[in-house]
Amino acid sequence: MSSWTWFHRLASPPSFFRLADRLAPWLGWIALALLAYGWINGLFFAPEDYQQKDAYRIIYVHVPAAALSLSLYVGMAVAGFVALVWRMKLAESALIAIAPVGASFTALALVTGMLWGKPMWGAYWVWDARLTSELVLLFLYFGVIGLWQAFEDPRAAARACALLAVVGVINVPIVKYSVDWWNSLHQGSTILKMGKPSITAAMAWPLFASVIGSYLFAGYVILRRLQNELLQREAGTAWVRELMGKSRV
């Protein structure tokens, strides 16, 4: 079987639905284990930071949320590009499934950043380059969600959302490199950078676990949302009727 044939089969809604049904539980359970390890060790057992004291512990929630806010937008833009070029229904559904999850993690990154900023900067919010560009990212997510709800035709809605997602991806490198390009109160990367992390192993391992666990959790939620989206869009097809018939048995 050629790679293109395999990709074509995977992209078909019934094939992807069955794959997601097998994969999602594994993602969910592994994510739960990693998050439990990361949060328990990071919030209660990791050593105190010599400068920020216990206030730094919010990184075990903030850093994964901030990383996901960027990664999920890139994933949404890739799905949007595929939807625009090849008109794939699966890509359109993925775009819509990712948007609320990405918006949630972006909002979480902003809220935890504000809570971290208060003891560090003396204010919950400053119009810093990193914070401002992250807020723009949240508005882009909201724009995609709003466009989806504004159209009655799902194909037309998906095209509009895809276009916004692709154009808006230019903000991702701005968020990522804002602390390097402009004078910023926001500190630089600690573990998500090239080279050796800037924190000790006792702090870093729970953070690694929290980041990976958060990515797996996001993957689990997106797969389940994508399954629901496929069921709604393919409601009249034979494979959905067959699936619904089996679920009633």
Side-chain angles (χ1 to χ4, degrees):
M1 182 186 298
S2 68
S3 58
W4 177 253
T5 303
W6 177 86
F7 177 77
H8 182 74
R9 289 185 59 183
L10 177 62
S12 69
S15 297
F16 186 86
F17 187 95
R18 289 190 289 268
L19 176 63
D21 217 32
R22 294 193 295 267
L23 184 59
W26 287 97
L27 294 182
W29 285 113
I30 297 173
L32 182 63
L34 287 172
L35 288 174
Y37 166 81
W39 288 347
I40 291 173
N41 282 276
L43 296 175
F44 299 105
F45 298 110
E48 184 182 84
D49 183 74
Y50 79 99
Q51 208 169 24
Q52 301 185 30
K53 307 303 181 184
D54 284 327
Y56 90 96
R57 296 184 191 277
I58 204 166
I59 67 173
Y60 297 103
V61 178
H62 175 73
V63 170
L68 271 163
S69 71
L70 301 180
S71 298
L72 291 180
Y73 196 94
V74 171
M76 191 173 68
V78 170
F81 179 80
V82 173
L84 287 172
V85 175
W86 288 288
R87 303 292 179 91
M88 289 176 55
K89 290 183 179 180
L90 182 61
E92 295 176 358
S93 298
L95 166 67
I96 303 308
I98 292 172
V101 182
S104 299
F105 277 106
T106 305
L108 180 61
L110 285 168
V111 170
T112 53
M114 291 167 63
L115 294 175
W116 193 7
K118 178 62 175 176
M120 296 299 103
W121 306 334
Y124 287 110
W125 183 268
V126 293
W127 290 103
D128 178 83
R130 171 61 63 83
L131 273 68
T132 304
S133 55
E134 185 78 5
L135 181 62
V136 170
L137 190 70
L138 180 61
F139 290 155
L140 287 168
Y141 277 119
F142 285 161
V144 171
I145 296 170
L147 277 176
W148 174 249
Q149 296 173 347
F151 288 80
E152 293 185 5
D153 180 9
R155 300 306 300 269
R159 286 193 293 272
C161 293
L163 184 60
L164 176 59
V166 170
V167 172
V169 78
I170 189 63
N171 188 55
V172 171
I174 294 176
V175 177
K176 172 64 177 175
Y177 297 108
S178 56
V179 295
D180 302 315
W181 292 346
W182 295 287
N183 291 327
S184 175
L185 292 175
H186 196 285
Q187 70 181 61
S189 296
T190 52
I191 67 166
L192 302 177
K193 65 174 187 176
M194 299 295 293
K196 186 178 179 181
S198 303
I199 57 178
T200 64
M203 297 176 179
W205 282 114
L207 187 52
F208 278 124
S210 299
V211 170
I212 297 171
S214 295
Y215 270 85
L216 295 179
F217 174 72
Y220 168 81
V221 175
I222 290 168
L223 284 179
R224 291 308 194 191
R225 284 185 53 82
L226 184 48
Q227 285 184 296
N228 290 335
E229 182 63 29
L230 289 175
L231 288 178
Q232 292 177 15
R233 298 188 69 171
E234 301 279 309
T237 60
W239 74 270
V240 173
R241 290 198 300 270
E242 181 183 353
L243 182 66
M244 293 297 101
K246 289 180 179 178
S247 66
R248 296 190 185 99
V249 176

